Amino acid sequence: MLKHANAWKDRFPEFAGCRDAEVEQLMEAATLVTVPAGQQVFYPGKTCEHYLLLLSGSVKAQILSADGREVLLYRVLPGDSCVLTTSCLLGDSQYPAEGYSETDVSAFAIPAHVFHRCLQQSAFFREFVFRNFSTRLADVIKRMAALSFASIDQRLAQTLLAADGPTIHKTHQELALELGSVREVVSRHLKRFESLGWLNLQRGSIEILDAAALRGLLTGGD
């Protein structure tokens, strides 16, 4: 019987439905790993030994700027693979950034030699790996473009509007990490939005009062 059959079916149903012998062997070789919140998952210079498929939780990949500022590259969420992990395995290179678990995390860890063998022998697995790699890489490029070209007001408005619901339970420091900025700058812009009547700031949370005004920033409105 397939190990962790329910977890495969819930998060990666395309694998559970595949009858490719190599894919079945890969699924059998996968180990279920858990990582507590706040733990470093990888770091610059670390060799990649496993292909990871996230089942639950969130992992953030980030780099440090020359002045020691943390810059978020992307998050790995349930059902995702990590673009840096894939890149390191494909290029036989080491991690160029660091990753931390934001919450308790569970994932399938597939040994590198099994990953490479299945990549060579299974068209299904090759398509899965490269499709996910392409999608995630495009997301990273869009994020880097936003950091480079969009104003802090636009990036902040977009991040607030992307939240689930009108209340965002994040600190100013957490928003600064996402925006590639510093807490003082983000706090100053949030307070300006509040003075305009767009937001209501509380300790540890932000309530959107005027979403239309925030959307106006994204379209060039006042």
Side-chain angles (χ1 to χ4, degrees), residues 16 65 98 135 192 201:
S65 66
E98 60 184 5
T135 299
R192 185 169 68 83
L201 303 181

Side-chain angles (χ1 to χ4, degrees), residues 63-86:
I63 56 175
L64 295 179
S65 66
D67 59 1
R69 183 163 44 90
E70 296 176 347
V71 179
L72 180 70
L73 295 175
Y74 60 89
R75 284 186 170 89
V76 188
L77 301 174
D80 289 344
S81 59
C82 174
V83 66
L84 283 179
T85 297
T86 306

